[in-house]
PDB file of all heavy atoms in Angstrom:
ATOM      1  N   PHE A 189     -36.650  31.856  -2.945  1.00  0.00           N
ATOM      2  CA  PHE A 189     -36.931  32.804  -1.839  1.00  0.00           C
ATOM      3  C   PHE A 189     -35.863  32.709  -0.753  1.00  0.00           C
ATOM      4  O   PHE A 189     -35.319  33.745  -0.293  1.00  0.00           O
ATOM      5  CB  PHE A 189     -38.338  32.537  -1.269  1.00  0.00           C
ATOM      6  CG  PHE A 189     -38.647  33.492  -0.136  1.00  0.00           C
ATOM      7  CD1 PHE A 189     -38.881  34.866  -0.430  1.00  0.00           C
ATOM      8  CD2 PHE A 189     -38.749  33.051   1.155  1.00  0.00           C
ATOM      9  CE1 PHE A 189     -39.154  35.747   0.623  1.00  0.00           C
ATOM     10  CE2 PHE A 189     -39.037  33.960   2.210  1.00  0.00           C
ATOM     11  CZ  PHE A 189     -39.255  35.258   1.921  1.00  0.00           C
ATOM     12  N   SER A 190     -35.550  31.492  -0.357  1.00  0.00           N
ATOM     13  CA  SER A 190     -34.497  31.374   0.668  1.00  0.00           C
ATOM     14  C   SER A 190     -33.140  31.880   0.154  1.00  0.00           C
ATOM     15  O   SER A 190     -32.385  32.456   0.931  1.00  0.00           O
ATOM     16  CB  SER A 190     -34.251  29.897   1.073  1.00  0.00           C
ATOM     17  OG  SER A 190     -35.436  29.288   1.439  1.00  0.00           O
ATOM     18  N   LEU A 191     -32.908  31.656  -1.110  1.00  0.00           N
ATOM     19  CA  LEU A 191     -31.635  32.044  -1.667  1.00  0.00           C
ATOM     20  C   LEU A 191     -31.455  33.554  -1.759  1.00  0.00           C
ATOM     21  O   LEU A 191     -30.392  34.088  -1.434  1.00  0.00           O
ATOM     22  CB  LEU A 191     -31.577  31.437  -3.110  1.00  0.00           C
ATOM     23  CG  LEU A 191     -30.245  30.956  -3.634  1.00  0.00           C
ATOM     24  CD1 LEU A 191     -29.609  29.954  -2.693  1.00  0.00           C
ATOM     25  CD2 LEU A 191     -30.486  30.304  -5.029  1.00  0.00           C
ATOM     26  N   THR A 192     -32.521  34.267  -2.153  1.00  0.00           N
ATOM     27  CA  THR A 192     -32.364  35.703  -2.399  1.00  0.00           C
ATOM     28  C   THR A 192     -33.034  36.545  -1.360  1.00  0.00           C
ATOM     29  O   THR A 192     -32.832  37.752  -1.337  1.00  0.00           O
ATOM     30  CB  THR A 192     -33.007  36.070  -3.752  1.00  0.00           C
ATOM     31  OG1 THR A 192     -34.414  35.796  -3.683  1.00  0.00           O
ATOM     32  CG2 THR A 192     -32.409  35.277  -4.927  1.00  0.00           C
ATOM     33  N   GLY A 193     -33.881  35.951  -0.547  1.00  0.00           N
ATOM     34  CA  GLY A 193     -34.620  36.693   0.458  1.00  0.00           C
ATOM     35  C   GLY A 193     -35.726  37.565  -0.188  1.00  0.00           C
ATOM     36  O   GLY A 193     -36.291  38.467   0.408  1.00  0.00           O
ATOM     37  N   ASP A 194     -36.049  37.241  -1.435  1.00  0.00           N
ATOM     38  CA  ASP A 194     -36.988  38.051  -2.198  1.00  0.00           C
ATOM     39  C   ASP A 194     -38.034  37.152  -2.915  1.00  0.00           C
ATOM     40  O   ASP A 194     -37.666  36.038  -3.310  1.00  0.00           O
ATOM     41  CB  ASP A 194     -36.270  38.734  -3.359  1.00  0.00           C
ATOM     42  CG  ASP A 194     -36.123  40.218  -3.105  1.00  0.00           C
ATOM     43  OD1 ASP A 194     -36.850  40.747  -2.262  1.00  0.00           O
ATOM     44  OD2 ASP A 194     -35.275  40.849  -3.845  1.00  0.00           O
ATOM     45  N   GLN A 195     -39.243  37.639  -3.105  1.00  0.00           N
ATOM     46  CA  GLN A 195     -40.206  36.887  -3.939  1.00  0.00           C
ATOM     47  C   GLN A 195     -39.871  37.229  -5.399  1.00  0.00           C
ATOM     48  O   GLN A 195     -40.500  38.090  -5.989  1.00  0.00           O
ATOM     49  CB  GLN A 195     -41.625  37.350  -3.647  1.00  0.00           C
ATOM     50  CG  GLN A 195     -42.151  36.970  -2.271  1.00  0.00           C
ATOM     51  CD  GLN A 195     -42.418  35.445  -2.142  1.00  0.00           C
ATOM     52  OE1 GLN A 195     -42.162  34.702  -3.073  1.00  0.00           O
ATOM     53  NE2 GLN A 195     -42.918  35.029  -1.006  1.00  0.00           N
ATOM     54  N   ILE A 196     -38.928  36.557  -5.967  1.00  0.00           N
ATOM     55  CA  ILE A 196     -38.545  36.926  -7.323  1.00  0.00           C
ATOM     56  C   ILE A 196     -39.308  36.089  -8.335  1.00  0.00           C
ATOM     57  O   ILE A 196     -39.656  34.928  -8.106  1.00  0.00           O
ATOM     58  CB  ILE A 196     -37.029  36.819  -7.541  1.00  0.00           C
ATOM     59  CG1 ILE A 196     -36.544  35.376  -7.239  1.00  0.00           C
ATOM     60  CG2 ILE A 196     -36.248  37.819  -6.785  1.00  0.00           C
ATOM     61  CD1 ILE A 196     -35.140  35.143  -7.696  1.00  0.00           C
ATOM     62  N   ASP A 197     -39.498  36.710  -9.497  1.00  0.00           N
ATOM     63  CA  ASP A 197     -40.226  36.005 -10.576  1.00  0.00           C
ATOM     64  C   ASP A 197     -39.188  35.474 -11.587  1.00  0.00           C
ATOM     65  O   ASP A 197     -38.508  36.273 -12.258  1.00  0.00           O
ATOM     66  CB  ASP A 197     -41.190  36.980 -11.248  1.00  0.00           C
ATOM     67  CG  ASP A 197     -41.894  36.312 -12.427  1.00  0.00           C
ATOM     68  OD1 ASP A 197     -41.841  35.073 -12.523  1.00  0.00           O
ATOM     69  OD2 ASP A 197     -42.491  37.069 -13.228  1.00  0.00           O
ATOM     70  N   ILE A 198     -39.041  34.137 -11.623  1.00  0.00           N
ATOM     71  CA  ILE A 198     -38.065  33.599 -12.561  1.00  0.00           C
ATOM     72  C   ILE A 198     -38.756  32.906 -13.743  1.00  0.00           C
ATOM     73  O   ILE A 198     -38.124  32.185 -14.503  1.00  0.00           O
ATOM     74  CB  ILE A 198     -37.071  32.612 -11.888  1.00  0.00           C
ATOM     75  CG1 ILE A 198     -37.824  31.501 -11.160  1.00  0.00           C
ATOM     76  CG2 ILE A 198     -36.117  33.330 -10.957  1.00  0.00           C
ATOM     77  CD1 ILE A 198     -37.178  30.161 -11.375  1.00  0.00           C
ATOM     78  N   SER A 199     -40.077  33.200 -13.854  1.00  0.00           N
ATOM     79  CA  SER A 199     -40.803  32.540 -14.963  1.00  0.00           C
ATOM     80  C   SER A 199     -40.242  32.894 -16.353  1.00  0.00           C
ATOM     81  O   SER A 199     -40.316  32.118 -17.271  1.00  0.00           O
ATOM     82  CB  SER A 199     -42.294  32.850 -14.862  1.00  0.00           C
ATOM     83  OG  SER A 199     -42.431  34.238 -14.947  1.00  0.00           O
ATOM     84  N   GLU A 200     -39.657  34.085 -16.457  1.00  0.00           N
ATOM     85  CA  GLU A 200     -39.064  34.506 -17.741  1.00  0.00           C
ATOM     86  C   GLU A 200     -37.597  34.109 -17.849  1.00  0.00           C
ATOM     87  O   GLU A 200     -36.906  34.525 -18.785  1.00  0.00           O
ATOM     88  CB  GLU A 200     -39.184  36.021 -17.848  1.00  0.00           C
ATOM     89  CG  GLU A 200     -40.609  36.550 -17.723  1.00  0.00           C
ATOM     90  CD  GLU A 200     -41.317  36.480 -19.062  1.00  0.00           C
ATOM     91  OE1 GLU A 200     -40.821  37.052 -20.042  1.00  0.00           O
ATOM     92  OE2 GLU A 200     -42.393  35.802 -19.130  1.00  0.00           O
ATOM     93  N   GLY A 201     -37.056  33.474 -16.825  1.00  0.00           N
ATOM     94  CA  GLY A 201     -35.668  33.098 -16.845  1.00  0.00           C
ATOM     95  C   GLY A 201     -34.792  34.054 -16.042  1.00  0.00           C
ATOM     96  O   GLY A 201     -35.262  35.096 -15.562  1.00  0.00           O
ATOM     97  N   TYR A 202     -33.555  33.623 -15.850  1.00  0.00           N
ATOM     98  CA  TYR A 202     -32.573  34.452 -15.128  1.00  0.00           C
ATOM     99  C   TYR A 202     -31.191  34.171 -15.690  1.00  0.00           C
ATOM    100  O   TYR A 202     -30.988  33.147 -16.365  1.00  0.00           O
ATOM    101  CB  TYR A 202     -32.644  34.151 -13.624  1.00  0.00           C
ATOM    102  CG  TYR A 202     -32.272  32.716 -13.276  1.00  0.00           C
ATOM    103  CD1 TYR A 202     -30.965  32.317 -13.033  1.00  0.00           C
ATOM    104  CD2 TYR A 202     -33.249  31.734 -13.256  1.00  0.00           C
ATOM    105  CE1 TYR A 202     -30.635  30.981 -12.797  1.00  0.00           C
ATOM    106  CE2 TYR A 202     -32.927  30.391 -13.018  1.00  0.00           C
ATOM    107  CZ  TYR A 202     -31.633  30.053 -12.765  1.00  0.00           C
ATOM    108  OH  TYR A 202     -31.329  28.731 -12.529  1.00  0.00           O
ATOM    109  N   TYR A 203     -30.243  35.071 -15.374  1.00  0.00           N
ATOM    110  CA  TYR A 203     -28.832  34.849 -15.753  1.00  0.00           C
ATOM    111  C   TYR A 203     -28.055  34.467 -14.521  1.00  0.00           C
ATOM    112  O   TYR A 203     -28.396  34.820 -13.393  1.00  0.00           O
ATOM    113  CB  TYR A 203     -28.299  36.172 -16.382  1.00  0.00           C
ATOM    114  CG  TYR A 203     -29.007  36.538 -17.644  1.00  0.00           C
ATOM    115  CD1 TYR A 203     -30.142  37.374 -17.616  1.00  0.00           C
ATOM    116  CD2 TYR A 203     -28.578  36.044 -18.865  1.00  0.00           C
ATOM    117  CE1 TYR A 203     -30.817  37.700 -18.761  1.00  0.00           C
ATOM    118  CE2 TYR A 203     -29.279  36.389 -20.063  1.00  0.00           C
ATOM    119  CZ  TYR A 203     -30.389  37.193 -19.970  1.00  0.00           C
ATOM    120  OH  TYR A 203     -31.055  37.483 -21.117  1.00  0.00           O
ATOM    121  N   TYR A 204     -26.946  33.782 -14.785  1.00  0.00           N
ATOM    122  CA  TYR A 204     -26.093  33.331 -13.669  1.00  0.00           C
ATOM    123  C   TYR A 204     -24.717  34.024 -13.780  1.00  0.00           C
ATOM    124  O   TYR A 204     -24.046  33.874 -14.822  1.00  0.00           O
ATOM    125  CB  TYR A 204     -25.936  31.792 -13.722  1.00  0.00           C
ATOM    126  CG  TYR A 204     -25.203  31.149 -12.534  1.00  0.00           C
ATOM    127  CD1 TYR A 204     -25.152  31.794 -11.302  1.00  0.00           C
ATOM    128  CD2 TYR A 204     -24.638  29.884 -12.644  1.00  0.00           C
ATOM    129  CE1 TYR A 204     -24.513  31.220 -10.225  1.00  0.00           C
ATOM    130  CE2 TYR A 204     -24.008  29.283 -11.557  1.00  0.00           C
ATOM    131  CZ  TYR A 204     -23.924  29.947 -10.338  1.00  0.00           C
ATOM    132  OH  TYR A 204     -23.271  29.371  -9.290  1.00  0.00           O
ATOM    133  N   LEU A 205     -24.351  34.736 -12.773  1.00  0.00           N
ATOM    134  CA  LEU A 205     -23.119  35.500 -12.795  1.00  0.00           C
ATOM    135  C   LEU A 205     -22.184  35.065 -11.656  1.00  0.00           C
ATOM    136  O   LEU A 205     -22.669  34.907 -10.489  1.00  0.00           O
ATOM    137  CB  LEU A 205     -23.410  37.036 -12.578  1.00  0.00           C
ATOM    138  CG  LEU A 205     -22.215  37.952 -12.307  1.00  0.00           C
ATOM    139  CD1 LEU A 205     -21.294  38.094 -13.516  1.00  0.00           C
ATOM    140  CD2 LEU A 205     -22.727  39.310 -11.840  1.00  0.00           C
ATOM    141  N   THR A 206     -20.902  34.863 -11.926  1.00  0.00           N
ATOM    142  CA  THR A 206     -19.935  34.769 -10.850  1.00  0.00           C
ATOM    143  C   THR A 206     -18.709  35.612 -11.273  1.00  0.00           C
ATOM    144  O   THR A 206     -18.434  35.771 -12.462  1.00  0.00           O
ATOM    145  CB  THR A 206     -19.419  33.345 -10.509  1.00  0.00           C
ATOM    146  OG1 THR A 206     -18.560  32.851 -11.530  1.00  0.00           O
ATOM    147  CG2 THR A 206     -20.571  32.400 -10.273  1.00  0.00           C
ATOM    148  N   CYS A 207     -17.996  36.133 -10.290  1.00  0.00           N
ATOM    149  CA  CYS A 207     -16.880  37.029 -10.578  1.00  0.00           C
ATOM    150  C   CYS A 207     -15.931  37.093  -9.361  1.00  0.00           C
ATOM    151  O   CYS A 207     -16.411  37.450  -8.258  1.00  0.00           O
ATOM    152  CB  CYS A 207     -17.434  38.435 -10.868  1.00  0.00           C
ATOM    153  SG  CYS A 207     -16.135  39.657 -11.145  1.00  0.00           S
ATOM    154  N   HIS A 208     -14.742  36.642  -9.532  1.00  0.00           N
ATOM    155  CA  HIS A 208     -13.846  36.667  -8.357  1.00  0.00           C
ATOM    156  C   HIS A 208     -12.364  36.872  -8.706  1.00  0.00           C
ATOM    157  O   HIS A 208     -11.548  37.003  -7.815  1.00  0.00           O
ATOM    158  CB  HIS A 208     -13.944  35.335  -7.578  1.00  0.00           C
ATOM    159  CG  HIS A 208     -13.276  34.204  -8.306  1.00  0.00           C
ATOM    160  ND1 HIS A 208     -13.870  33.526  -9.331  1.00  0.00           N
ATOM    161  CD2 HIS A 208     -12.036  33.678  -8.206  1.00  0.00           C
ATOM    162  CE1 HIS A 208     -13.029  32.615  -9.782  1.00  0.00           C
ATOM    163  NE2 HIS A 208     -11.918  32.673  -9.099  1.00  0.00           N
TER     164      HIS A 208
END
Side-chain angles (χ1 to χ4, degrees):
F189 180 68
S190 307
L191 215 53
T192 63
D194 251 345
Q195 290 289 4
I196 56 168
D197 178 13
I198 56 138
S199 58
E200 303 276 303
Y202 62 89
Y203 296 90
Y204 187 23
L205 167 70
T206 74
C207 176
H208 73 279

